[in-house]
Amino acid sequence: QVQLVESGGGLVQAGGSLRLSCAASDSTVSRYAMGWFRQAPGKEREFVAATSWSGGSFYYADSVKGRFTISRDNDKNTVYLQMNSLRPEDTAVYYCAAGGDLVLDVVNYWGEGTLVTVSS
């Protein structure tokens, strides 16, 4: 069973930046798309960003386009989410995911989540 472990969450002021990391327990994930979802208080979990298994294709939710950048390093079994120009509405628990098609919610593995809080 692949395990995904997120890190990098925390408290930041609006306009600031954070970088999330997600390390997988083994190289099985290199065959999958990897990415991020988030769940804000009182809301449903939503797709944020994903990258293909090769790292050559990228997908973003409209709400984060131009501010967030996803990347992956298959040698390290790790995916990253660089978040810039953060807004209070970005406050959420961010979940790492790996699967066949994250845009279509085909997820095989989930991380436990890391909390991002953006203060105004």
Side-chain angles (χ1 to χ4, degrees), residues 8-10 12 16 19-20 27 38 41 55-56 69 73 82 86 88 106 114:
V12 63
R19 188 192 194 207
L20 304 183
S27 61
R38 68 186 181 187
T69 302
D73 184 338
Q82 178 66 43
L86 282 161
V106 179
T114 185

Side-chain angles (χ1 to χ4, degrees), residues 28-73:
T28 301
V29 295
S30 65
R31 299 179 291 172
Y32 293 102
M34 292 188 73
W36 298 88
F37 290 72
R38 68 186 181 187
Q39 186 167 19
K43 295 188 177 182
E44 293 187 355
R45 186 153 52 189
E46 62 175 0
F47 169 79
V48 175
T51 179
S52 60
W53 67 270
S54 66
S57 298
F58 308 94
Y59 310 90
Y60 296 95
D62 288 343
S63 58
V64 306
K65 279 181 183 176
R67 300 187 299 123
F68 291 10
T69 302
I70 189 169
S71 61
R72 71 187 291 170
D73 184 338

